[in-house]
């Protein structure tokens, strides 16, 4: 049963529709990420849920209650912004307890809750410091504690990690996810970073030009993209143009090579369709059990530590594949003739 429900949500700024017929059901305690490039509408959706943006049309309900007509302070929502937005003249403890004071919570109860939140974020002894005395990661932890202190029904996170360096981002996203699971709070997380979305989420909504292009688990979004946009945006993906030979068994032709996908494809014979294949699904050389073989020549080799990414020219364009670094087996040189092999079942059929 959905705890947070967005129904046919629309937002227009003048003639510009930035969110179009957006629908999403979020279960209680679920962590859902809105993933997409800048300008796709993800932050606008978040701001409508928070009440900072008006709704052009559509509905928003939390635990069965319609909140579209409520002001932000009437919705039991906690929000963490990209900028830490801490009050510079207040101590850490005063920042965390700000929402509790606004709600009129008694002093002793508020103090206990502040201590509980500071312990939760791993900063129990820094309550008397001011924001300028903290690192960026510590300030973002305090912003999270401030949002959680009043016990909101829903937590909204608007790209909270984008201002931090890479190492702190990785550790803090793990901490945020652990805290979210410990509290069981329903959470919407906005990000343009696919690694963050894939590693943190129960489900991901990939947004494109104001619509939800695909909704699914991280496993499905990565392994089974349903549109060309999702296939190109999430991870690295080789895309192919193929000609459909037999719709009943999914027999296609890719640059002169016939491939039997062993699935029914809803298109007419001779139609051009899009296929995709992840780099890790491709093997350099012939491999037992792999029924698709494509000849080509090495275009480039990129050493990435434990993984080596190889780009190969073939009759239909270029293919990227990943292979593990093995010191005893150096990668082929540029220009070398090679064959690539893959399983037909690993090909993804894309829709437009």
């Amino acid at each position: 049963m959905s705890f947070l429900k967005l129904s046919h949500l629309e937002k227009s700024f003048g003639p510009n529709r930035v969110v179009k017929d957006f629908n999403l059901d979020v279960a209680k305690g679920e962590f859902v990420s809105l993933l997409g490039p800048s300008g796709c509408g993800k932050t606008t959706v978040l701001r409508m849920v928070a009440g900072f943006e008006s709704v052009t049309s559509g509905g928003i309900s939390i635990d069965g209650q319609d909140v579209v007509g409520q002001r932000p302070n009437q919705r039991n929502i906690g929000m963490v912004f990209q900028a830490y937005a801490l009050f510079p003249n207040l101590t850490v403890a005063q920042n965390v307890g700000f929402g509790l004071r606004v709600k009129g919570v008694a002093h002793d109860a508020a103090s206990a809750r502040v201590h509980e939140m500071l312990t939760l974020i791993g900063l129990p002894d820094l309550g008397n410091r001011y924001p300028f005395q903290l690192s960026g990661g510590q300030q973002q932890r305090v912003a999270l504690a401030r949002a959680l202190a009043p016990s909101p029904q829903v937590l909204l996170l608007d790209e909270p990690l984008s201002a931090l360096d890479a190492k702190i981002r990785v550790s803090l996203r793990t901490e945020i996810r652990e805290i979210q699971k410990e509290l069981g709070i329903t959470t919407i997380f906005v990000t343009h970073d696919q690694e963050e979305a894939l590693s943190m989420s129960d489900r991901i909504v990939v947004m494109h030009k104001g619509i939800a292009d695909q909704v699914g688990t991280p496993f499905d979004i990565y392994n089974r993209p349903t549109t060309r946009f999702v296939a190109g945006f999430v991870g690295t993906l080789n895309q192919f143009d193929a000609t459909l030979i037999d719709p009943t068994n999914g027999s296609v032709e890719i640059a002169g090579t016939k491939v039997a996908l062993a699935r029914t494809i809803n298109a007419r014979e001779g139609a051009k369709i899009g296929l995709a294949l992840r780099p890790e699904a491709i093997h350099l050389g012939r491999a037992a059990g792999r029924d698709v073989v494509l000849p080509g020549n090495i275009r480039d080799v990129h050493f990435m530590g434990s993984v080596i990414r190889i780009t190969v020219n073939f009759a239909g364009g270029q293919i990227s594949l990943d292979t593990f670094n093995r010191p005893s087996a150096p990668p082929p040189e540029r220009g070398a003739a090679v064959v690539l092999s893959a399983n037909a079942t690993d090909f993804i059929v894309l829709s437009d």
Side-chain angles (χ1 to χ4, degrees), residues 47-193:
R47 290 176 62 83
M48 284 192 285
V49 175
F52 299 139
E53 290 286 358
S54 61
V55 174
T56 301
S57 64
I60 302 172
S61 66
I62 300 174
D63 197 17
Q65 180 182 5
D66 180 15
V67 300
V68 168
Q70 295 181 349
R71 296 188 299 274
N73 64 323
Q74 295 175 310
R75 306 182 189 192
N76 191 11
I77 285 175
M79 188 158 182
V80 179
F81 301 91
Q82 180 177 341
Y84 314 129
L86 299 176
F87 301 112
N89 59 320
L90 300 182
T91 65
V92 166
Q94 289 170 336
N95 265 283
V96 173
F98 181 80
L100 299 173
R101 292 195 297 276
V102 170
K103 292 180 71 172
V105 177
H107 180 269
D108 288 348
S111 296
R113 180 64 172 171
V114 168
H115 179 71
E116 179 186 352
M117 289 296 99
L118 290 177
T119 301
L120 183 68
I121 63 170
L123 303 175
D125 301 321
L126 301 186
N128 292 326
R129 292 192 185 181
Y130 286 87
F132 74 89
Q133 297 174 303
L134 305 178
S135 68
Q138 289 173 329
Q139 289 185 57
Q140 198 58 289
R141 288 184 179 91
V142 173
L144 176 63
R146 182 179 61 184
L148 292 171
S151 301
Q153 290 178 296
V154 177
L155 177 65
L156 306 178
L157 304 168
D158 188 11
E159 302 200 49
L161 308 178
S162 60
L164 304 173
D165 66 55
K167 190 171 183 179
I168 294 175
R169 247 192 347 258
V170 171
S171 63
L172 194 53
R173 74 190 185 202
T174 301
E175 292 179 28
I176 288 174
R177 183 60 165 134
E178 289 176 349
I179 289 171
Q180 185 269 337
K181 286 193 288 188
E182 180 178 340
L183 298 178
I185 186 169
T186 307
T187 301
I188 305 294
F189 180 83
V190 162
T191 182
H192 62 271
D193 187 319

Side-chain angles (χ1 to χ4, degrees), residues 288-317:
R290 296 178 184 255
D291 47 3
V292 180
V293 178
L294 299 171
N297 296 87
I298 301 294
R299 174 186 174 88
D300 216 341
V301 177
H302 295 282
F303 184 76
M304 301 162 64
S306 61
V307 171
I308 299 173
R309 176 152 293 172
I310 300 173
T311 306
V312 176
N313 288 330
F314 82 115

